[in-house]
Amino acid sequence: MMSWTRLFHALLITALLACLLGGAPAVQAQAPSNWAPLDAAVEAQIQAGQLPGAVLIWGDANGIRLERSWGHRAVAPHPEPMTVDTVFDLASLTKVIATTTAILQLADKGRVQLDAPAARYWPAFGTLGKEQITLRQLLAHTSGLRPDLDLRPDWTGTAQALKRVIAERPVAPPGTRTIYSDLNFIVLGQIVQRVSHMPLPVYARQKIFQPLHMHDTAFLPPRTWQARLAPTESLKPGAWLRGVVHDPTARRMDGVAGHAGLFGTAEDLARFAQAMLEPGRLLKASTLNELQQRQNPSTDPDARGLGWQVMAPLVANRDDWPPEGMIGHTGYTGTGLWIDLTQKQFVILLSNRVHPDGRGDARPLRRQVLALLSSVQSPLPVPPHPAWTPSTPEGVLTGSDVLRAQGFAPLVGHRVGLITNLAAIDRQGWRTLDRLRWAPGVTLVKVFSPEHGLYGDAEGAIASGREPISDLPLISLYGERKRPTADSLRDIDTLVFDLQDAGARFFTYISTLAEAMRAAAEQGIRVVVLDRPNPIRADRIGGPVLEAGLASFTGYPGLPVQHGMTVGELARWFQDDLKQKGLNVNLDVVPMQGYRRSQWFDQTHVDWVPPSPNLRRPLTAILYPGVSWVEGANVSVGRGTDHPFEWLGAPWIDGPRLAEALSQAAIPGVRFRPIQFTPHAGPYQDELCSGVQIQVIDRNAFDAPQLGALLIKELEHLWPDSFLIDKTLGMIGSDDTLRRLKQGDSLDSIVASWQADLTAFDQRRQRYLLYP
């Protein structure tokens, strides 16, 4: 019998859908003609090494609104371009496309009851505390069963898997907590077979795939699909899984299980999603309504329904909605499907993020794609709902997150200009640009972009134009001018800065901040800085302090190479500098919450988006304050390769000789190995270079400025007639340090020569720090 709580939810959703879909049409997407922000978001995650490629389809019951593919479906053993007809290992999408649909179809026909014990349909299952586990609890992951079967001692075959499932005991009382479990769906797959008298693959093919013309979806994909299959990981060197299920339990079950094993294309999933948007085609209307109801305890952070995760619809105010109106699910291999039953639309994002080495992560891109698609759709009235508390993401809340939590109060009633780029996103993947565009009471007037442009992917001078999603004016601060003009500030009263810094003096975003603060002070405009983590820790300083007379746009005066401050803290420093020049900056810093100075970027749980074309990964940012020392000279630092700032070389360098010399210096936390590479940008473009790969083996012991000094010292010592050492002065920022390097002083004495200035810098720095 349906509980009163579940009945209330059913009536609520039914009434809401009747209002939204009956009396008033669902809000239609305002699809832009230029999807550059989406392309940039995907390409950035590819460059960051999170996935080799991806396919996206966004559509509705009537057709496809957007279909895209990016990158590669395979990068090893040789590159293969991604195509929209690529066949993916769908992983846990198997749970909802095949198993959940089958169970609910059987329920629609009265052949199973969701609130009946699973043991009614599989008697052998009803032992060891599993007697009262219902189908509903299996679907909602509230059965109390643990996540998966043990793989040791080794076993093979479906019969062995089922035997182990029967021997399982719940680790929690059924119905009391959510434990995402593959075992639930192994059980449900067995129940489909027992009730329908068809194995799950046969049932799915006859009752789901064939009626929907999903001809590229199957368990155990045929060999004729081989060329289109996206590979996953390798089980042994040089042998990648391709057409063989990635999930180890399903693989031991001969490739067929209720939780994993299905392969398919984005276009087939679009057919499935469209059928789910048409009541009666796959499931009854009442069942589709029930799919949107939360079935797990409200205290659990993720709302789980019947098989699917339940979430808010894709609208601009979706974070204000309770978790209802849209269903979705993801797969371990990097797949995802979301069906917005409120707006009658769907999103499919497929990748093989585990290829080639299993270390990718599709979650940042999922968040960004859903956020961007939500941002192009108008808000919907939030329906009446029981009290609920949105889950708080683990880790650091950036200034952008805190601003939203404040209801944008510091900006309400103001006309705002925003300095930003692609990396300025919040914990839900929303661009700060889009948050401000939809913020109640805030008028976003224009957008400013720094070096590398709005998408962080350009080199050289950046042109102004219009931002394609909002059609707002987009003003470049890295072209003819590097400071906002009086004219560009005339129609705003607040300038918001939200950029991800790199933690090094010569990364120009902090210079953009300083120049913007100066321009704002001259025009009497307030500056609001949304703070972000220093990716290489904010408790470390190092390298020479910039000497007077060497200041430039790549060198703010008075800062060492590694300054150990966040952008919010630097803004407070800059405010004092400007005050000494007679300019008063009306500055507000929105600080982070939960941030500690000793955190590396990956410890903050903030999504990494490359802030510039060559700072692809947090590891790159760690090396950047050291390797960049030689960048002004005639040396390639790996720009135009897949490993910028990790590779260094030139045609005149002997890689093995350099690697040996650097290794003998024995600086902590890093090692060197000789390599050859051909860069496709920068010095020696398309020329074979010999040099070294720099590998960080202990980031806590590693001192990047010390590495920079060592590189220059050894290059000058080994190749004094080839290495243009004087060209490094701009990055070093110290005539004294350059002199010491040229005369061959010891590395220890060079590092020691920085300490007096660093002590003085740190004494002043302490006045501006915001975090423990």
Side-chain angles (χ1 to χ4, degrees):
M1 179 178 294
M2 183 178 290
S3 69
W4 281 107
T5 300
R6 196 172 294 126
L7 178 60
F8 171 79
H9 281 106
L11 294 173
L12 175 64
I13 294 294
T14 302
L16 175 64
L17 287 175
C19 173
L20 292 175
L21 304 180
V27 177
Q28 294 299 308
Q30 305 300 310
S33 59
N34 182 342
W35 283 101
L38 174 64
D39 293 331
V42 181
E43 292 292 350
Q45 292 303 306
I46 292 173
Q47 293 300 313
Q50 299 288 36
L51 57 162
V55 175
L56 171 75
I57 294 181
W58 176 38
D60 56 30
N62 299 316
I64 304 301
R65 297 172 178 174
L66 180 66
E67 185 173 29
R68 281 277 211 284
S69 66
W70 301 267
H72 294 83
R73 67 167 157 245
V75 296
H78 54 79
E80 299 175 33
M82 184 67 77
T83 58
V84 294
D85 65 346
T86 295
V87 180
F88 291 87
D89 180 339
L90 298 177
S92 284
L93 292 189
T94 304
K95 292 180 173 75
V96 291
I97 296 166
T99 311
T100 296
T101 306
I103 287 289
L104 294 181
Q105 285 181 335
L106 293 171
D108 279 353
K109 295 176 181 177
R111 300 181 66 181
V112 299
Q113 283 76 47
L114 298 185
D115 292 309
R120 177 184 297 179
Y121 310 105
W122 184 15
F125 176 74
T127 60
L128 303 174
K130 304 189 297 296
E131 294 85 351
Q132 299 305 313
I133 292 175
T134 66
L135 271 61
R136 187 182 300 276
Q137 291 167 342
L138 293 169
L139 287 165
H141 296 283
T142 59
S143 68
L145 296 175
R146 62 188 178 125
D148 203 354
L149 294 173
D150 293 328
L151 300 180
R152 292 288 181 268
D154 200 12
W155 57 269
T156 58
T158 300
Q160 284 295 319
L162 298 180
K163 180 179 178 181
R164 282 162 168 74
V165 170
I166 291 169
E168 288 286 320
R169 291 181 181 272
V171 297
T176 62
R177 55 182 281 215
T178 306
I179 303 172
Y180 183 84
S181 174
D182 289 346
L183 302 186
N184 294 327
F185 281 78
I186 293 174
V187 175
L188 290 168
Q190 179 68 5
I191 289 173
V192 171
Q193 177 169 332
R194 288 175 169 271
V195 173
S196 70
H197 306 293
M198 289 185 281
L200 179 62
V202 176
Y203 181 97
R205 183 175 65 250
Q206 292 186 10
K207 304 297 184 180
I208 304 170
F209 307 152
Q210 286 181 348
L212 301 182
H213 306 289
M214 296 171 63
H215 302 307
D216 286 333
T217 303
F219 292 89
L220 305 173
R223 296 184 65 85
T224 54
W225 295 4
Q226 189 71 16
R228 292 189 292 132
L229 283 162
T232 55
E233 282 187 85
S234 60
L235 296 183
K236 56 184 179 180
W240 282 267
L241 293 172
R242 191 161 192 166
V244 176
V245 63
H246 178 269
D247 181 87
T249 301
R251 197 163 59 244
R252 283 165 172 78
M253 295 176 66
D254 304 316
V256 176
H259 72 286
L262 196 62
F263 289 75
T265 64
E267 291 180 339
D268 267 9
L269 295 193
R271 296 181 179 94
F272 175 85
Q274 287 176 320
M276 290 286 284
L277 293 174
E278 186 178 335
R281 190 170 178 196
L282 270 179
L283 300 172
K284 290 180 178 180
S286 58
T287 302
L288 291 173
N289 287 343
E290 193 172 4
L291 277 178
Q292 302 171 71
Q293 300 167 35
R294 183 174 191 145
Q295 305 288 334
N296 65 332
S298 60
T299 53
D300 289 344
D302 291 326
R304 290 277 168 186
L306 297 176
W308 298 80
Q309 188 177 5
V310 183
M311 54 194 70
L314 295 175
V315 289
N317 62 333
R318 71 184 306 250
D319 290 331
D320 298 326
W321 272 61
E324 58 187 51
M326 185 168 81
I327 57 175
H329 211 284
T330 60
Y332 184 84
T333 53
T335 57
L337 167 63
W338 300 268
I339 303 174
D340 184 342
L341 296 167
T342 301
Q343 299 237 91
K344 296 290 187 180
Q345 60 179 314
F346 60 87
V347 179
I348 297 155
L349 180 62
L350 302 183
S351 75
N352 52 333
R353 64 97 187 166
V354 294
H355 179 70
D357 55 15
R359 293 187 290 183
D361 187 351
R363 291 173 296 180
L365 182 59
R366 288 172 184 155
R367 285 189 278 267
Q368 292 176 64
V369 167
L370 293 180
L372 192 62
L373 294 180
S374 297
S375 76
V376 302
Q377 303 184 84
S378 299
L380 280 178
V382 178
H385 56 272
W388 67 288
T389 302
S391 60
T392 301
E394 180 184 4
V396 172
L397 297 181
T398 67
S400 179
D401 295 296
V402 173
L403 179 69
R404 180 179 171 274
Q406 295 171 344
F408 304 96
L411 303 181
V412 170
H414 291 277
R415 295 177 60 81
V416 172
L418 173 65
I419 302 174
T420 192
N421 74 357
L422 182 74
I425 60 172
D426 65 15
R427 294 298 303 277
Q428 285 75 38
W430 280 73
R431 301 188 301 171
T432 300
L433 190 162
D434 293 319
R435 286 295 194 197
L436 296 187
R437 190 162 59 90
W438 288 108
V442 179
T443 303
L444 181 61
V445 177
K446 60 186 62 175
V447 182
F448 299 85
S449 67
E451 185 183 6
H452 306 302
L454 184 62
Y455 309 124
D457 59 356
E459 297 284 7
I462 306 298
S464 296
R466 302 195 77 83
E467 197 282 317
I469 300 294
S470 64
D471 198 38
L472 291 170
L474 176 61
I475 300 170
S476 171
L477 298 180
Y478 198 80
E480 295 180 4
R481 300 179 180 86
K482 294 182 173 64
R483 181 189 303 174
T485 65
D487 185 62
S488 69
L489 298 176
R490 187 162 291 125
D491 52 352
I492 65 174
D493 58 57
T494 300
L495 187 59
V496 176
F497 180 95
D498 191 10
L499 288 172
Q500 175 61 58
D501 183 39
R505 179 185 66 214
F506 29 70
F507 198 66
T508 63
Y509 295 175
I510 60 175
S511 294
T512 296
L513 172 60
E515 294 290 343
M517 290 177 64
R518 181 184 185 96
E522 292 171 345
Q523 301 302 315
I525 291 172
R526 183 174 65 131
V527 175
V528 176
V529 175
L530 307 182
D531 211 2
R532 289 189 173 272
N534 183 322
I536 55 175
R537 295 175 51 162
D539 63 345
R540 293 183 165 195
I541 59 174
V545 173
L546 189 72
E547 292 178 358
L550 293 179
S552 69
F553 195 67
T554 55
Y556 186 87
L559 297 184
V561 170
Q562 192 166 338
H563 50 68
M565 300 174 77
T566 69
V567 290
E569 294 168 340
L570 284 166
R572 287 153 57 89
W573 176 297
F574 299 159
Q575 182 185 35
D576 268 6
D577 281 356
L578 289 168
K579 186 175 183 179
Q580 293 172 14
K581 297 176 182 179
L583 291 171
N584 293 314
V585 183
N586 182 1
L587 173 68
D588 288 322
V589 175
V590 180
M592 294 175 279
Q593 289 183 4
Y595 180 66
R596 300 187 310 278
R597 312 197 68 78
S598 61
Q599 287 179 304
W600 296 96
F601 191 90
D602 61 343
Q603 295 172 328
T604 67
H605 297 279
V606 176
D607 288 342
W608 176 262
V609 177
S612 67
N614 291 287
L615 290 186
R616 298 183 178 183
R617 294 174 285 273
L619 170 63
T620 319
I622 294 172
L623 289 166
Y624 176 69
V627 179
S628 281
W629 282 43
V630 302
E631 192 167 16
N634 54 333
V635 176
S636 168
V637 295
R639 292 181 184 268
T641 74
D642 289 336
H643 299 276
F645 301 106
E646 299 173 48
W647 292 354
L648 177 149
W652 47 267
I653 290 176
D654 180 335
R657 187 180 178 193
L658 178 60
E660 181 180 3
L662 295 172
S663 298
Q664 287 179 350
I667 64 172
V670 67
R671 64 186 175 198
F672 309 90
R673 73 176 187 89
I675 59 165
Q676 290 187 322
F677 64 94
T678 302
H680 300 297
Y684 311 116
Q685 181 175 344
D686 298 326
E687 291 186 54
L688 181 64
C689 293
S690 180
V692 293
Q693 178 185 14
I694 305 168
Q695 299 174 312
V696 177
I697 56 175
D698 183 351
R699 62 184 180 180
N700 291 311
F702 175 60
D703 183 333
Q706 182 186 38
L707 170 67
L710 176 64
L711 292 172
I712 292 177
K713 177 179 169 61
E714 294 301 334
L715 288 169
E716 172 67 6
H717 172 70
L718 295 172
W719 295 281
D721 296 331
S722 299
F723 181 51
L724 302 179
I725 189 172
D726 289 334
K727 297 287 188 180
T728 65
L729 178 60
M731 303 302 277
I732 297 173
S734 168
D735 281 308
D736 179 68
T737 297
L738 181 59
R739 177 183 58 80
R740 292 172 183 272
L741 288 165
K742 292 172 76 171
Q743 66 189 25
D745 286 8
S746 71
L747 185 62
D748 287 344
S749 68
I750 292 170
V751 172
S753 72
W754 305 333
Q755 299 312 307
D757 286 344
L758 285 173
T759 298
F761 163 78
D762 192 42
Q763 288 175 346
R764 180 183 171 189
R765 166 179 169 268
Q766 294 297 323
R767 304 204 301 263
Y768 309 110
L769 303 186
L770 297 170
Y771 310 100

